[in-house]
């Protein structure tokens, strides 16, 4: 749902519904939503299942420019670069998110919540209890790479993080 040219810009309250994902692709920008636009707001969502793609992979969104609030994911996530349990590439807000799945990557920027969060992003009240296994750098329990002025607050990782790389 959504693309780089035509991102999803809706406001959806899922009322704590659980959606089962089964996505297997060789493409970029893979998740329940491929690209969430600046006007998008995703609320009260539970996810399970699996998501597999190349770059910019997350259970909720490959690329987030909007708001993601109160999300729980128990998804198996596989990808190469920019892979997160919730979002692959974050450019806005992820608040009150939980990841309890597994992530396997062979590239850069892997995080239990977000793979790469840019300098304008806000990430708060999130936690990871899942397992993360990567072969490259920038692998972390919460955010693989956090931009210089980005905010990360009131969050924790209690999941296993393994990387074959230095950092």
């Amino acid at each position: 749902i959504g693309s780089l040219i035509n991102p999803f810009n809706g406001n959806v309250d899922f009322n704590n519904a659980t959606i089962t994902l089964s996505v297997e692709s060789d493409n970029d920008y893979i998740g329940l939503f491929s690209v969430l636009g600046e006007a998008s707001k995703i609320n009260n969502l539970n996810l399970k299942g699996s998501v597999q793609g190349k770059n910019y992979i997350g259970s909720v969104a490959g690329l987030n420019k909007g708001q993601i609030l109160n999300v729980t994911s128990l998804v198996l996530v596989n990808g190469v670069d920019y892979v997160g349990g919730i979002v692959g590439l974050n450019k806005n807000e992820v608040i009150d998110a939980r990841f309890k799945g597994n992530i396997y990557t062979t590239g850069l920027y892997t995080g239990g919540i977000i793979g790469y969060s840019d300098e304008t992003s806000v990430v708060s009240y999130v936690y990871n209890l899942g397992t993360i296994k990567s072969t490259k750098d920038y692998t972390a329990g919460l955010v693989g790479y956090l931009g210089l002025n980005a905010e990360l607050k009131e969050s924790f990782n209690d999941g296993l993080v393994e990387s074959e790389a230095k950092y």
Side-chain angles (χ1 to χ4, degrees):
I1 302 171
S3 67
L4 287 173
I5 296 169
N6 188 22
F8 179 82
N9 276 303
N11 182 346
V12 183
D13 186 338
F14 286 92
N15 293 312
N16 294 310
T18 299
I19 295 175
T20 301
L21 299 172
S22 181
V23 181
E24 194 170 322
S25 174
D26 292 329
N27 295 324
D28 295 339
Y29 302 102
I30 302 296
L32 175 62
F33 296 91
S34 295
V35 179
L36 290 171
E38 294 174 6
S40 65
K41 187 174 181 181
I42 304 302
N43 288 300
N44 305 318
L45 172 63
N46 298 299
L47 295 171
K48 63 181 183 176
S50 63
V51 173
Q52 179 178 324
K54 190 173 177 187
N55 302 314
Y56 308 102
I57 313 300
S59 62
V60 176
L63 169 58
N64 174 46
K65 295 181 181 180
Q67 295 178 307
I68 296 173
L69 310 163
N70 190 28
V71 174
T72 300
S73 176
L74 286 80
V75 174
L76 170 61
V77 181
N78 286 292
V80 181
D81 293 324
Y82 300 92
V83 179
I86 303 297
V87 173
L89 174 59
N90 182 47
K91 293 181 173 274
N92 201 343
E93 293 183 353
V94 176
I95 299 171
D96 192 24
R98 297 151 297 281
F99 184 72
K100 303 174 184 180
N102 296 303
I103 301 173
Y104 300 99
T105 70
T106 57
L108 300 171
Y109 309 117
T110 303
I113 302 297
I114 298 166
Y116 187 108
S117 204
D118 81 0
E119 56 276 345
T120 62
S121 61
V122 175
V123 181
S124 57
Y125 307 105
V126 301
Y127 67 83
N128 172 53
L129 300 178
T131 297
I132 302 162
K133 294 187 179 183
S134 176
T135 61
K136 300 287 183 180
D137 294 334
Y138 300 104
T139 299
L142 294 177
V143 180
Y145 180 87
L146 186 67
L148 183 61
N149 296 313
E151 292 182 35
L152 175 61
K153 57 187 177 183
E154 302 293 329
S155 301
F156 71 91
N157 172 64
D158 197 27
L160 174 68
V161 179
E162 291 182 1
S163 176
E164 296 174 16
K166 300 179 277 192
Y167 53 94

